[in-house]
Amino acid sequence: GVTSPVFLEGSVGERGEDFELAVRLGGPPDQEDGEGAWTRSYRISKAGFLVGLDRVAWDIANQLGARRSDRGDGSLVLPWTDDFDAYCDYLRGRHLSQQGTPEALEAAIEAYHRALILDPNFGAAWSALAAAYVLLPEYGGPPVPEIAPYAQAAADHALSSGARFPEGLAASGFLKWFHRWDFPGAEEDFRRSIELDPFHPVPRYWMARAFTTQRRWEEAEELARAALELDPSSAAAHLTLGMFLMCRGEVGAKEAFRRGLELAPGMHPAAFLLGTLLALEGDLEGAAEEFDRFSTLTGGDPGPFRADLSALSDPAPTPQAVSALEGATFFGPTQSAALLAHLGQTEAALTELEEAARARSPYFL
């Protein structure tokens, strides 16, 4: 094998009905490694492009010391579609879905739809579409009851062909856990997804979140840290670890949220949770900065947050803070309930939580 760290970089360009691909495997891009770098150039026809991409993938894998026997089917790039433009839209969607903003997630959904118009049997695109749909309510999109049928339909399409799509199973698990509160069914889908692709971090950090809500602490931590080992650059994996540590009352949650925001500056859930944690710890100035960031990212009114923090520092304006918090906010009643609870307003918080349960509000669990 090769010594760590190893970085892969490259470029892609079009030339008629072909595209040209250049890759470099070696040390960090900001360091000169001269003859030590491994470089290759490829010219691949758009007709049968997945076969060419699989050859590129195996060249890289072999350079890293992998063997074909490590993968039972012998393919690293699976033949999901024969339509080059559909595959490009699929890749655009994958890129957008990692950016952590509602606008990017909605753009990813549009890209997956374009891919599926070109190839309605593109199972991987159906899987990715289902995964994007299940996250949409969490990112401020339509409420759960409205979006769940679309997510379910996409997951059903992905799994109906009999093909094995780990992402589709993960989306089905997320839907069962986060939207339907079917914990056993969700765990079964998550575990099947991991069995099909042990190197995919998403089902691991989604299952970690599900286990955290059930207080299955040891299993949740193991899954969250395994997801980060698989993809240290995943903002969502850092967010998940932060949520676990925050719920568990352990150190490291702030650092995990901040790392997630470094990787995905538009990931507003991390800003909200970091602000909440800082407020609980008494750092009201730091909390105000994060709540302002959250409001800027979501286009929401920062007034309820400021009223909450003012009441935490001086109980006198508590009635005004309660009035500001009772009502719709970006995350709906769940967010209001959390802030009301910080003020010791138990009855008002429970009223909001009852509404959250009725509406299947994101983050309620």
Side-chain angles (χ1 to χ4, degrees):
V2 293
T3 58
S4 297
V6 176
F7 291 80
L8 175 67
E9 61 179 354
S11 61
V12 180
E14 288 191 72
R15 180 168 299 206
E17 291 303 309
D18 298 339
F19 66 87
E20 295 179 336
L21 177 66
V23 295
R24 172 187 174 276
L25 189 68
D30 59 349
Q31 295 182 12
E32 292 293 334
D33 50 5
E35 298 299 324
W38 178 85
T39 61
R40 290 290 188 278
S41 297
Y42 302 88
R43 186 162 180 169
I44 302 173
S45 170
K46 293 180 183 178
F49 64 98
L50 286 177
V51 175
L53 287 181
D54 192 63
R55 177 166 59 88
V56 175
W58 269 116
D59 282 352
I60 296 168
N62 289 335
Q63 184 66 19
L64 291 170
R67 304 178 305 276
R68 283 194 177 264
S69 59
D70 293 337
R71 178 108 187 183
D73 57 18
S75 297
L76 293 175
V77 180
L78 299 178
W80 288 329
T81 181
D82 292 324
D83 192 301
F84 179 79
D85 292 327
Y87 190 69
C88 288
D89 280 323
Y90 166 74
L91 293 181
R92 290 187 188 99
R94 296 305 299 263
H95 171 70
L96 289 163
S97 66
Q98 298 296 316
Q99 296 182 16
T101 69
E103 295 80 11
L105 191 59
E106 290 173 354
I109 289 172
E110 292 178 4
Y112 296 140
H113 276 294
R114 289 196 301 270
L116 290 165
I117 289 172
L118 294 170
D119 183 357
N121 297 316
F122 193 172
W126 281 116
S127 294
L129 179 63
Y133 268 138
V134 297
L135 290 174
L136 197 55
E138 185 175 349
Y139 280 77
V144 170
E146 182 178 326
I147 209 67
Y150 296 97
Q152 187 65 63
D156 289 345
H157 273 287
L159 302 175
S160 63
S161 65
R164 304 190 303 172
F165 290 107
E167 191 173 25
L169 278 167
S172 176
F174 192 98
L175 186 67
K176 290 176 181 177
W177 162 62
F178 201 51
H179 296 182
R180 303 189 188 280
W181 303 354
D182 173 7
F183 298 113
E187 181 176 349
E188 180 181 356
D189 283 350
F190 287 142
R191 292 196 184 281
R192 288 175 59 204
S193 177
I194 292 171
E195 288 174 4
L196 289 175
D197 188 353
F199 304 106
H200 194 8
V202 172
R204 293 182 186 273
Y205 63 68
W206 279 354
M207 188 157 66
R209 289 180 59 184
F211 284 177
T212 296
T213 61
Q214 299 172 65
R215 291 172 174 77
R216 296 167 64 173
W217 302 121
E218 292 183 5
E219 295 167 286
E221 182 174 15
E222 181 181 352
L223 286 161
R225 295 194 184 280
L228 271 177
E229 288 180 7
L230 289 170
D231 187 1
S233 65
S234 168
H238 285 280
L239 172 67
T240 298
L241 180 61
M243 293 174 71
F244 164 80
L245 294 171
M246 182 178 177
C247 292
R248 187 72 167 136
E250 297 182 2
V251 298
K254 293 193 295 292
E255 292 73 16
F257 292 142
R258 286 174 175 142
R259 180 56 178 154
L261 286 165
E262 288 175 5
L263 293 166
M267 190 171 62
H268 57 264
F272 173 73
L273 291 168
L274 179 56
T276 302
L277 181 56
L278 291 171
L280 284 169
E281 294 181 347
D283 182 1
L284 302 187
E285 183 177 344
E289 292 179 3
E290 294 306 324
F291 285 142
D292 283 346
R293 185 200 321 227
F294 172 80
S295 299
T296 299
L297 291 172
T298 61
D301 178 11
F305 298 113
R306 294 172 182 168
D308 175 72
L309 295 175
S310 296
L312 286 173
S313 60
D314 178 7
T318 296
Q320 293 92 323
V322 172
S323 177
L325 290 171
E326 289 178 327
T329 54
F330 184 82
F331 282 143
T334 304
Q335 180 196 53
S336 298
L339 300 180
L340 286 165
H342 296 171
L343 297 175
Q345 302 298 306
T346 306
E347 292 302 322
L350 287 172
T351 297
E352 293 293 313
L353 287 174
E354 287 168 357
E355 171 59 23
R358 186 196 64 78
R360 288 291 203 268
S361 173
Y363 283 112
F364 175 79
L365 294 176

